[in-house]
Amino acid sequence: MTTIVLVHGLWSDGSSWARVITELRAMGHEPVAAQLALESMDDDVASVRRTLATVSGPLLLVGWSYGGAVIGEAARGVAAVNALAYVAAFAPAEGESVSGLSRKYPGSEIPKHVVVAGDYTYINRASFGELLAADAPAESVAIAAATQKMVRIGLDRVKVNPPAWLDLPSHYLLTTDDRCVPPELQREMAARMGAVVTETDSSHAPLLSRPREVADFLDGACRNMMTTNPQESTE
């Protein structure tokens, strides 16, 4: 049906989308997960664009958490991207950063669980689930904690350029039991994008806890995209 490119967040990799990919494939979609190095914003944007160059449009570009900031940069000027979808994701406007947005409202518990290791950070493995995915199966949490990628310090402080959501239709999956991105912040970002909002009483990682729900959300975004762009859907 539709090509969907999935972009992960901090302290994770493309495998975080595994269960969602299974659900999307069962629906007939063609999902591809980008892999971010988490060393610099420029490198991460370039990585997503390399992935976009390997698939054909029309396509939906999806970001989870920090991945939302990346897709806002990566989609600019890429004609094949017809819409954006945000899953509990940051959507900074021009001149904003993920770090700055995260401090706008109280509620983020990341500082309680982050561990500094030289020039990098990671999330305390013992409390990874408590922070990101308290509602996910224990084994899924254990795997995510064990496979998490370390993040270069300062990556989340980069201020972005004019984001693609200024010009593209957007959809937002808002997680109301989120301990990383406060729901109040999510609502504000979604509203200023003019995004179609779907709410779920999930933790920050519905990818792990509610993969079918995330897949249904993305399927709906794809259907809306095809309705809005009927000519592209027949190419």
Side-chain angles (χ1 to χ4, degrees), residues 15-212:
S15 69
S16 58
W17 293 102
R19 296 177 66 196
V20 176
I21 288 171
T22 297
E23 297 287 353
L24 288 172
R25 284 174 55 80
M27 294 175 179
H29 295 293
E30 299 176 1
V32 177
Q35 295 284 7
L36 308 183
L38 303 180
E39 290 280 349
S40 76
M41 174 72 80
D42 285 346
D43 286 348
D44 291 342
V45 170
S47 179
V48 173
R49 287 182 173 166
R50 284 194 298 271
T51 301
L52 292 175
T54 68
V55 296
S56 58
L59 61 86
L60 176 71
L61 182 58
V62 185
W64 170 46
S65 197
Y66 161 78
V70 177
I71 68 172
E73 295 272 284
R76 292 200 326 268
V78 182
V81 179
N82 282 21
L84 304 171
Y86 294 78
V87 178
F90 289 98
E94 182 179 7
E96 292 181 340
S97 68
V98 167
S99 176
L101 285 173
S102 69
R103 294 192 298 269
K104 190 170 185 179
Y105 296 101
S108 175
E109 298 181 12
I110 291 174
K112 298 179 184 178
H113 302 277
V114 71
V115 180
V116 176
D119 293 331
Y120 294 84
T121 65
Y122 67 95
I123 299 300
N124 186 313
R125 297 180 186 94
S127 59
F128 188 94
E130 176 186 341
L131 175 65
L132 274 84
D135 54 344
E139 187 63 16
S140 294
V141 170
I143 292 171
T147 60
Q148 67 174 299
K149 297 185 71 169
M150 299 182 77
V151 176
R152 170 77 72 170
I153 290 175
L155 177 61
D156 60 348
R157 300 174 195 158
V158 177
K159 295 180 179 180
V160 304
N161 296 303
W165 53 257
L166 291 169
D167 304 306
L168 292 172
S170 300
H171 299 258
Y172 200 104
L173 183 61
L174 193 155
T175 46
T176 61
D177 194 23
D178 199 313
R179 298 178 183 178
C180 295
V181 185
E184 187 176 4
L185 175 61
Q186 294 185 50
R187 289 192 181 93
E188 181 180 285
M189 292 185 296
R192 71 181 181 183
M193 285 193 291
V196 177
V197 177
T198 301
E199 293 197 12
T200 176
D201 57 348
S202 166
S203 66
H204 184 60
L207 290 64
L208 304 179
S209 63
R210 301 171 184 233
R212 179 54 188 263

Side-chain angles (χ1 to χ4, degrees), residues 3-18:
T3 301
I4 303 172
V5 174
L6 307 161
V7 181
H8 62 83
L10 301 179
W11 306 296
S12 63
D13 66 8
S15 69
S16 58
W17 293 102

